Amino acid sequence: MGTATSSMAAKFAFFPPNPPSYSIIVDEATGKLRISDVHQRDDVDVLKLNTKKGNEIIALYVKNPSASLTVLYSHGNAADLGQMFHIFSELSVHLNVSVMGYDYSGYGQSSGKPSEQDTYADIEAAYKSLEESYGVKEEDIILYGQSVGSGPALELATHLPRLRAVILHSPILSGLRVMYPVKRTFWFDIYKNIDKIPLVDCPVLVIHGTEDEVVDFSHGKQLWELCKEKYEPLWLKGGNHCNLELYPEYLRHLRNFISAIEKLPRLRNVSEKTEDQPDQPQNSTDQKMEKSRPSTDHREKGRPSTGQREKSRLSTDSKEKSRASTDKKEKLSRRSVDRSGKARNSLDHPERARNSFDRFGDMVRSVGLCNVDCLRQTAAEKRNNRPLVRCEAAVAEKEAADASGEKFEYQAEVSRLLDLIVHSLYSHKEVFLREIVSNASDALDKLRFLSVTEPSLLGDAGDLEIRIKPDPDNGTITITDTGIGMTKEELIDCLGTIAQSGTSKFLKALKENKDLGADNGLIGQFGVGFYSAFLVAEKVVVSTKSPRSDKQYVWESVADSSSYVIKEETDTEKFLSRGTQITLFLREDDKYEFSDPARIQGLVKNYSQFVSFPIYTWQEKSRTIEVEEEEEPKEGEEQPECSFLLGLCVLFQGEKKKKKTTKTEKYWDWELANETKPIWLRNQKEVEKEEYHEFYKKTFNEFLDPLAYTHFTTEGEVEFRSVLYVPGMGPLNNEDVMNPKTKNIRLYVKRVFISDDFDGELFPRYLSFVKGVVDSDDLPLNVSREILQESRIVRIMRKRLVRKTFDMIQDISESENKEDYKKFWENFGRFVKLGCVEDSGNHKRIAPLLRFYTSKNEEELTSLDEYVENMGEKQNAIFYLATDSLKSAKSAPFLEKLVQKDIEVLYLIEPIDEVAIQNLQTYKEKKFVDISKEDLELGDEDEVKERESKQEYNLLCDWIKQQLGDKVAKVQVSKRLSSSPCVLVSGKFGWSANMERLMKAQALGDTSSLEFMRGRRILEINPDHPIVKDLNAACKNAPDSSDAKRAVDLLYDTALISSGFTPDSPAELGNKIYEIMAMALGGRWGRSEGDDEAEAPEENAVESDTSANESSETQVVEPSEVRTESDPWQD
């Protein structure tokens, strides 16, 4: 188990919502800041506050005019102000308090990055705003810390002696446990609440859920037990980490706590008290306080003087320093410590985890004796368990006196550079190794180029190579190259001037000499790239030997220094034959990660896999060796106990027999880390198919061969080489493809890996399943080699990459092996369809790749080209039908007339199909037509017959429309039916039945837009169907018949289902069907007499109704008259 601290833990302890849940807008009328997407209120102020860390945070203040107390709320690590706005407003109303909430650095619209130190500065800025802008006094403030927010809340509470109270909501005890793939467990000691809680003098309320899966219930319980001034805690049974506000007990308990706190007298400053001054008794209303503090008198006695409290706060540097005494000597010692760069302000804690020496160190620093770090044990002493305490100040002084180093000042402001490197240039700390290895490659390339004209530069110093050796025991990394090295003047020139580039000067000299034909692969920017080492190192030592100089020089600097030292190397054991050796002394919080050999090898393989020079890393290996072991005596054999007798046995019987066995032995050795060669740099005619497949499997950790690949070089405005692959299998999780950040495209610049984290810049989302590498020699990057500077260049690259990808997919579709494209379509077809929606500029390339089932080919997929070729002469459109399955498409009533006329129809059975076709609109000047919508034109209609049918059934259409009312927009005679009595079609501009079904299924669907967009419904009837003819007769002869009206309702409901719509009330439809079945089946096969008697009254009622209707009707055409011979209900 290892220990690491906040800068490393920030990645795991802070999860700001991305994207933020709100944005900041300016009210044009008042000029005040507002938060978007929330109800605007006059009693809420939105503020921008500057922290001492240089960040700008967003805060909001909810004013309650009747409140006497103010709550300063620090929220959890996975929310921002937009999500907490409602909670702040509710707390202000229900607790009768004002509330100040704020976003941590890096959260919401606050600048910076979240870390432990920044949260301390953030809450301090919010507290100062309450004091300075709103006049809130310390004794009227209650600090509220939720989850990780308990850290900054308790930190601030330890510095406010007159604070009114503290509320801890699901607090953390100390640290965060993280498992790494390298089989190590790290404990990030980010907030030491367990040490701070005893130092809080005001009442503390702890709220925690018993079923909290994020922060265990034991955290809150232990913190409450350590409180000085306890208030009755609230343990919510069954409560989880994020739902405690939903429990009624939560608000009730908080209200009682606030009420009790308001009745307590305000706390006075400790410095204002005297030992002779009597304490006042506590107010009797505070009944919920623990027996350990029955009165304020007892509480005040617990902290009689500043001195006693100071002694209890030696565990943290900042606590001692925030309570500086009037002792001038102590002030002087504090200032001396500050000048040495070791002291921090009241909220600026050291990053590393604390141990017992830190508490002792506070006392040492307080009297200004020396730096406590000189009392720490060395790594060797720890291994040998020697309790040796030694002061290294004398040793350091002696070494400084002996060293003949020369001190130089930087020619640029180092603090600005380092701040730029840490916060702007580099996204990840791990890139430091990429930069240093790239510089080493530059040095080797320079030597190789110069040796063409000066062979003596090579000498006998060995091969051109790079070696990296991490040392976990001492926390160092050493990178050695056998390149050109540097003289003293070059050290000053290249490393002494910030952003000075030896490589850029070298390239400039090449251009001036017009030697443009030279083969140079220099990566560039040595100066700034070198300083990325300070991302992880607190000290950097560069030892270098140039073949043009007889001396070897050492350059040395620390991270926060404004100067550096250069001295001549005199230790013969450290002499280099040629080249440069860089040693990084890692920071405490980076030591455990970047001194791990496995981690270093992984970084080399990721970033520098294709550097043209061999890179060796120091790795632990194992091997099997043979050893001889003495055979143990067999059972029954007695071994002489006496050594004399044993010697006689050896003398007369010979030595004891030995047997050979194998044993696994661990050892350390150099291992080549960049075996794979950059295949894209070779001529594609010289690369075999198997080599492309092998490269694909190694680079992307795949086990299947790719379906296709393309290798090309692009020249012009942007020159780059690329190898792209279509994977052999789609991802198991669709989100991995739909997410543009799939890390499938790896960008290299001169064989050095730059990034694979692109948000759609190089490839659109619908093609993100494509994997490959892109390498450019002249891609314009900033000094960190990470940020693309010119979006126009990226657009050109994207356009060419997309075109090559479509060419590759088109080749698959046109290949003789049809199974390849079938396999491609099964895995990636729906994402190609997504391109119809997202990329209108490439419709002409996407459309030929689409495949669908059709009414003429339900087994094999058909392309749009094949469909157009099979179209009839009079067919002027491409017809399609969108349903939820192939089976429902084949039985849909919309198809009847088209199938009779041998017109092919596309079946759109996937959810995205209909949207994709609607975005295409046309293909080869043929429009796409949905056969489930009104005004379907098939091209060969009989106008005379249509006119006659329309006149004959015009009265029936009006009568049915009258019966159905607003359920349909109109009723008309259909052109698309042959065997079904009716069908329900959608309006031309509304949603189809399939689209309506999909929109209803959306998890976040808007019901109001659903009602608006579903459009009108039109009932089309088939004049040739017997049911319609019967209804036509009923319309003319008995328009008021209840049976006829019931038949119309059932006809509509049946058409609703058969057309793909969902009935509003399935139960009501079921009852109608049961009723019709009862009428059709009643007495057909006979019943028992008891059943007949029981149903007699109902039958009589039905018969009387029927007779009454018959008397009023002149002539009725019974449905039985049109029964067919095969009617199963016929007797």
Side-chain angles (χ1 to χ4, degrees):
M1 177 172 293
T3 304
T5 51
S6 60
S7 63
M8 189 173 177
K11 303 175 185 177
F12 304 98
F14 300 97
F15 309 96
N18 188 15
S21 66
Y22 70 95
S23 57
I24 298 297
I25 56 178
V26 180
D27 192 334
E28 296 180 357
T30 63
K32 297 177 65 176
L33 298 177
R34 298 287 189 190
I35 288 183
S36 64
D37 301 327
V38 297
H39 178 67
Q40 305 300 334
R41 296 170 42 175
D42 294 330
D43 61 342
V44 176
D45 291 339
V46 179
L47 312 169
K48 289 185 177 181
L49 308 177
N50 294 318
T51 73
K52 67 180 183 181
K53 288 286 190 177
N55 298 326
E56 185 182 72
I57 64 170
I58 304 299
L60 62 86
Y61 181 64
V62 183
K63 294 172 286 188
N64 190 329
S66 62
S68 60
L69 298 177
T70 298
V71 173
L72 177 52
Y73 197 114
S74 300
H75 60 67
N77 63 346
D80 60 18
L81 284 182
Q83 298 165 336
M84 300 298 295
F85 183 90
H86 179 71
I87 293 178
F88 293 165
S89 303
E90 292 297 316
L91 288 178
S92 176
V93 173
H94 292 288
L95 302 181
N96 193 29
V97 295
S98 298
V99 179
M100 166 73 86
Y102 64 98
D103 264 343
Y104 306 122
S105 298
Y107 276 66
Q109 300 301 326
S110 297
S111 64
K113 294 183 178 180
S115 70
E116 178 187 6
Q117 302 305 317
D118 283 328
T119 59
Y120 295 155
D122 299 339
I123 193 171
E124 186 183 24
Y127 172 76
K128 287 183 178 178
S129 176
L130 285 175
E131 282 191 325
E132 298 171 2
S133 301
Y134 298 98
V136 181
K137 297 181 180 179
E138 177 183 333
E139 54 267 27
D140 293 330
I141 292 178
I142 299 174
L143 296 183
Y144 192 119
Q146 180 187 16
S147 184
V148 168
S150 60
L154 280 176
E155 172 61 24
L156 182 60
T158 61
H159 301 287
L160 302 179
R162 292 177 294 168
L163 186 67
R164 199 58 172 270
V166 174
I167 301 172
L168 301 180
H169 177 140
S170 303
I172 63 173
L173 190 65
S174 176
L176 173 71
R177 185 170 179 267
V178 175
M179 292 297 296
Y180 268 99
V182 295
K183 298 180 180 179
R184 287 193 179 183
T185 304
F186 287 88
W187 184 270
F188 297 104
D189 224 358
I190 55 173
Y191 291 112
K192 299 205 71 173
N193 292 341
I194 189 172
D195 287 347
K196 298 172 186 175
I197 193 71
L199 308 179
V200 178
D201 294 318
C202 61
V204 178
L205 166 65
V206 180
I207 305 174
H208 216 124
T210 60
E211 301 297 326
D212 196 329
E213 298 175 355
V214 180
V215 179
D216 192 77
F217 168 60
S218 61
H219 286 233
K221 196 170 182 182
Q222 291 185 57
L223 286 175
W224 178 76
E225 291 171 354
L226 294 170
C227 289
K228 249 186 199 180
E229 300 291 340
K230 297 187 175 79
Y231 186 85
E232 180 181 349
L234 177 59
W235 310 130
L236 289 171
K237 188 174 181 180
N240 209 321
H241 194 68
C242 302
N243 66 351
L244 302 189
E245 294 88 349
L246 304 179
Y247 286 76
E249 301 92 328
Y250 167 81
L251 201 57
R252 191 184 310 123
H253 202 84
L254 271 180
R255 194 181 293 116
N256 294 338
F257 177 72
I258 296 294
S259 177
I261 292 301
E262 283 180 325
K263 295 173 183 177
L264 286 176
R266 287 181 170 85
L267 296 179
R268 291 167 296 170
N269 195 343
V270 182
S271 62
E272 296 173 3
K273 289 188 59 180
T274 63
E275 294 182 359
D276 297 328
Q277 183 179 355
D279 295 316
Q280 298 298 325
Q282 185 182 11
N283 194 318
S284 61
T285 57
D286 189 16
Q287 298 176 358
K288 297 221 173 182
M289 299 299 172
E290 292 292 314
K291 293 180 180 180
S292 62
R293 54 167 204 89
S295 67
T296 54
D297 179 66
H298 176 76
R299 185 177 66 243
E300 295 296 332
K301 287 179 181 178
R303 49 185 184 91
S305 66
T306 307
Q308 288 183 10
R309 204 166 57 250
E310 288 300 318
K311 291 178 182 178
S312 66
R313 302 188 182 188
L314 289 174
S315 61
T316 310
D317 298 344
S318 62
K319 299 184 183 67
E320 183 180 0
K321 292 169 188 173
S322 66
R323 289 162 169 73
S325 68
T326 57
D327 188 349
K328 295 181 180 180
K329 182 178 179 180
E330 184 173 343
K331 287 183 178 180
L332 290 172
S333 65
R334 294 271 175 91
R335 283 197 295 268
S336 65
V337 175
D338 290 339
R339 284 195 297 269
S340 64
K342 300 297 181 183
R344 308 285 177 92
N345 55 31
S346 62
L347 294 178
D348 194 6
H349 281 250
E351 291 271 331
R352 60 179 180 273
R354 318 291 271 167
N355 58 24
S356 59
F357 259 110
D358 291 310
R359 294 184 174 89
F360 176 62
D362 286 275
M363 293 184 287
V364 175
R365 291 190 185 97
S366 66
V367 295
L369 290 180
C370 67
N371 189 344
V372 70
D373 294 332
C374 70
L375 299 176
R376 297 185 186 277
Q377 287 178 283
T378 64
E381 291 164 355
K382 289 180 180 179
R383 287 196 301 270
N384 298 328
N385 294 321
R386 297 177 184 172
L388 174 63
V389 178
R390 59 191 180 91
C391 183
E392 293 180 352
V395 179
E397 186 178 353
K398 183 177 182 300
E399 290 178 353
D402 294 341
S404 58
E406 187 177 354
K407 188 174 181 180
F408 296 87
E409 293 292 328
Y410 287 114
Q411 296 181 17
E413 190 179 350
V414 177
S415 58
R416 285 188 61 192
L417 171 74
L418 294 181
D419 182 71
L420 189 66
I421 287 176
V422 173
H423 295 104
S424 301
L425 292 184
Y426 299 99
S427 304
H428 307 285
K429 282 187 174 183
E430 62 190 29
V431 300
F432 81 93
L433 191 62
R434 179 193 71 186
E435 298 295 308
I436 295 177
V437 170
S438 299
N439 293 336
S441 176
D442 284 349
L444 293 167
D445 253 325
K446 285 183 186 178
L447 178 63
R448 184 172 59 180
F449 179 82
L450 294 173
S451 64
V452 176
T453 55
E454 298 181 63
S456 60
L457 293 177
L458 287 175
D460 55 353
D463 298 332
L464 302 180
E465 62 185 14
I466 303 169
R467 294 184 181 268
I468 306 172
K469 186 174 183 178
D471 186 352
D473 292 334
N474 296 316
T476 63
I477 307 175
T478 303
I479 302 99
T480 307
D481 68 74
T482 57
I484 189 63
M486 287 177 281
T487 62
K488 182 178 180 180
E489 291 74 18
E490 289 171 337
L491 272 176
I492 298 172
D493 192 31
C494 295
L495 300 188
T497 304
I498 306 304
Q500 178 73 12
S501 172
T503 301
S504 60
K505 278 191 173 183
F506 185 73
L507 291 175
K508 184 178 179 181
L510 286 180
K511 284 188 177 182
E512 290 176 355
N513 293 332
K514 298 182 180 181
D515 195 1
L516 299 179
D519 178 20
N520 71 83
L522 300 176
I523 300 168
Q525 300 302 342
F526 183 86
V528 176
F530 165 76
Y531 274 92
S532 65
F534 287 106
L535 286 170
V536 297
E538 59 186 6
K539 177 183 175 183
V540 178
V541 176
V542 179
S543 183
T544 183
K545 169 70 167 61
S546 171
R548 291 172 174 168
S549 173
D550 296 333
K551 296 181 180 180
Q552 180 174 326
Y553 293 95
V554 177
W555 181 98
E556 184 176 323
S557 181
V558 294
D560 54 355
S561 174
S562 62
S563 62
Y564 59 93
V565 174
I566 296 179
K567 62 183 178 182
E568 184 180 343
E569 183 61 76
T570 57
D571 189 347
T572 55
E573 294 182 358
K574 297 180 180 180
F575 278 177
L576 302 173
S577 55
R578 181 191 67 233
T580 301
Q581 183 179 82
I582 300 175
T583 303
L584 309 183
F585 294 84
L586 299 175
R587 301 175 187 266
E588 285 292 328
D589 50 352
D590 296 314
K591 184 180 297 183
Y592 299 96
E593 180 180 3
F594 295 114
S595 63
D596 182 12
R599 176 73 165 136
I600 293 298
Q601 188 175 43
L603 292 178
V604 172
K605 286 183 177 293
N606 185 44
Y607 288 104
S608 307
Q609 175 76 12
F610 303 109
V611 169
S612 55
F613 299 98
I615 303 174
Y616 296 93
T617 58
W618 189 245
Q619 298 293 322
E620 185 180 26
K621 299 182 179 182
S622 61
R623 59 190 171 195
T624 303
I625 59 174
E626 283 190 354
V627 295
E628 291 184 349
E629 293 182 353
E630 293 182 353
E631 291 186 357
E632 295 183 0
K634 298 179 181 179
E635 293 183 4
E637 289 185 2
E638 293 185 1
Q639 196 73 3
E641 295 182 1
C642 177
S643 58
F644 175 73
L645 295 176
L646 182 60
L648 291 177
C649 290
V650 173
L651 180 62
F652 291 103
Q653 297 179 9
E655 293 185 1
K656 196 172 182 179
K657 293 183 179 179
K658 295 183 179 181
K659 63 177 181 179
K660 289 186 177 181
T661 60
T662 58
K663 183 180 178 181
T664 302
E665 180 186 53
K666 299 285 187 180
Y667 70 101
W668 290 84
D669 198 2
W670 294 104
E671 181 177 315
L672 183 63
N674 57 336
E675 293 179 321
T676 308
K677 301 303 177 185
I679 199 172
W680 62 84
L681 296 178
R682 297 166 57 186
N683 189 332
Q684 52 186 314
K685 296 180 180 178
E686 300 174 357
V687 185
E688 300 293 334
K689 180 179 180 180
E690 290 74 16
E691 294 181 81
Y692 283 114
H693 289 185
E694 188 66 24
F695 176 81
Y696 168 76
K697 292 177 181 178
K698 282 187 177 181
T699 305
F700 299 102
N701 295 321
E702 293 284 349
F703 62 93
L704 291 177
D705 289 337
L707 278 177
Y709 62 86
T710 179
H711 180 184
F712 60 93
T713 301
T714 301
E715 298 179 352
E717 282 186 87
V718 180
E719 296 185 5
F720 66 91
R721 299 177 180 87
S722 180
V723 179
L724 302 178
Y725 295 91
V726 173
M729 182 179 68
L732 299 178
N733 185 1
N734 289 343
E735 293 181 0
D736 292 342
V737 174
M738 299 298 289
N739 184 2
K741 295 185 178 182
T742 52
K743 300 184 181 298
N744 286 340
I745 298 297
R746 297 173 61 85
L747 176 64
Y748 293 82
V749 172
K750 297 185 179 180
R751 306 174 306 283
V752 175
F753 174 69
I754 301 303
S755 179
D756 57 3
D757 188 9
F758 300 105
D759 193 3
E761 290 95 348
L762 288 180
F763 262 89
R765 183 171 67 143
Y766 68 93
L767 289 180
S768 58
F769 62 86
V770 177
K771 299 185 177 184
V773 295
V774 179
D775 186 9
S776 174
D777 285 353
D778 57 352
L779 190 65
L781 302 174
N782 74 344
V783 288
S784 73
R785 310 189 184 104
E786 287 183 303
I787 304 169
L788 297 173
Q789 289 180 330
E790 298 182 36
S791 59
R792 185 180 64 85
I793 300 298
V794 180
R795 287 197 299 269
I796 295 173
M797 291 183 65
R798 173 189 168 116
K799 185 176 180 180
R800 293 177 183 176
L801 288 170
V802 170
R803 187 171 68 242
K804 287 293 184 179
T805 301
F806 279 124
D807 292 343
M808 177 172 54
I809 299 174
Q810 187 67 35
D811 291 341
I812 303 176
S813 66
E814 295 174 356
S815 66
E816 297 179 358
N817 188 358
K818 300 299 180 183
E819 290 297 320
D820 284 349
Y821 196 73
K822 183 178 180 181
K823 186 177 180 181
F824 167 81
W825 193 253
E826 288 175 355
N827 285 287
F828 309 108
R830 57 190 177 279
F831 305 111
V832 176
K833 294 173 187 175
L834 180 63
C836 300
V837 181
E838 297 188 342
D839 192 356
S840 58
N842 280 309
H843 278 178
K844 290 184 178 180
R845 292 189 175 92
I846 297 174
L849 303 176
L850 299 177
R851 298 292 186 271
F852 303 98
Y853 291 106
T854 70
S855 57
K856 290 186 177 180
N857 194 346
E858 299 171 358
E859 302 296 331
E860 298 291 335
L861 292 166
T862 302
S863 67
L864 294 180
D865 287 329
E866 293 171 339
Y867 181 95
V868 173
E869 290 177 5
N870 297 332
M871 287 173 56
E873 295 181 0
K874 296 183 179 181
Q875 183 179 344
N876 55 7
I878 300 174
F879 297 105
Y880 68 88
L881 175 64
T883 62
D884 59 343
S885 66
L886 188 60
K887 184 177 181 180
S888 62
K890 291 189 289 186
S891 58
F894 305 103
L895 285 171
E896 295 171 358
K897 188 71 74 174
L898 287 88
V899 172
Q900 276 188 355
K901 295 186 176 184
D902 197 31
I903 297 176
E904 191 172 16
V905 179
L906 299 176
Y907 292 155
L908 311 186
I909 58 177
E910 289 189 347
I912 197 173
D913 287 353
E914 186 173 3
V915 181
I917 290 298
Q918 288 175 352
N919 277 271
L920 280 181
Q921 296 183 352
T922 61
Y923 181 70
K924 292 188 175 179
E925 300 180 356
K926 305 288 184 182
K927 287 186 177 181
F928 289 97
V929 175
D930 187 351
I931 65 171
S932 68
K933 293 191 175 183
E934 65 173 327
D935 296 339
L936 178 65
E937 299 292 339
L938 300 179
D940 56 350
E941 291 81 2
D942 188 344
E943 295 182 359
V944 177
K945 185 178 179 181
E946 287 180 9
R947 194 180 306 113
E948 292 176 354
S949 298
K950 188 174 182 180
Q951 291 175 355
E952 182 179 354
Y953 288 92
N954 191 33
L955 181 62
L956 175 62
C957 293
D958 293 340
W959 181 69
I960 294 176
K961 173 66 174 75
Q962 184 181 359
Q963 303 304 320
L964 297 177
D966 294 335
K967 292 181 180 179
V968 296
K970 65 178 179 178
V971 181
Q972 64 186 23
V973 177
S974 177
K975 302 176 185 178
R976 70 190 87 207
L977 298 176
S978 61
S979 58
S980 299
C982 61
V983 70
L984 200 63
V985 300
S986 305
K988 185 180 295 185
F989 302 106
W991 283 338
S992 66
N994 180 66
M995 185 60 68
E996 187 175 325
R997 174 182 59 83
L998 293 175
M999 297 308 295
K1000 280 184 178 180
Q1002 297 298 314
L1004 302 176
D1006 185 1
T1007 54
S1008 59
S1009 64
L1010 178 67
E1011 198 65 30
F1012 172 76
M1013 286 299 298
R1014 77 175 187 176
R1016 58 180 190 164
R1017 295 172 179 175
I1018 300 161
L1019 182 67
E1020 293 188 355
I1021 59 175
N1022 180 6
D1024 299 327
H1025 198 277
I1027 295 177
V1028 176
K1029 291 180 179 179
D1030 287 348
L1031 289 176
N1032 191 28
C1035 169
K1036 293 176 181 178
N1037 302 325
D1040 298 326
S1041 171
S1042 60
D1043 289 342
K1045 293 179 180 179
R1046 191 183 299 114
V1048 169
D1049 284 340
L1050 186 60
L1051 191 70
Y1052 169 78
D1053 290 335
T1054 307
L1056 194 72
I1057 296 175
S1058 64
S1059 302
F1061 294 97
T1062 303
D1064 295 331
S1065 177
E1068 185 179 344
L1069 173 60
N1071 291 333
K1072 291 178 183 178
I1073 295 174
Y1074 296 150
E1075 185 179 349
I1076 297 296
M1077 289 178 66
M1079 293 172 59
L1081 297 176
R1084 183 173 291 275
W1085 297 287
R1087 300 179 189 166
S1088 63
E1089 293 182 359
D1091 295 339
D1092 292 339
E1093 291 176 0
E1095 296 182 3
E1098 295 181 7
E1099 291 177 357
N1100 293 336
V1102 174
E1103 288 176 0
S1104 63
D1105 183 43
T1106 306
S1107 61
N1109 290 336
E1110 288 177 353
S1111 63
S1112 62
E1113 295 172 358
T1114 56
Q1115 182 182 0
V1116 177
V1117 179
E1118 295 291 342
S1120 60
E1121 295 178 10
V1122 294
R1123 284 180 179 170
T1124 62
E1125 295 180 359
S1126 60
D1127 188 356
W1129 300 103
Q1130 195 170 13
D1131 293 335

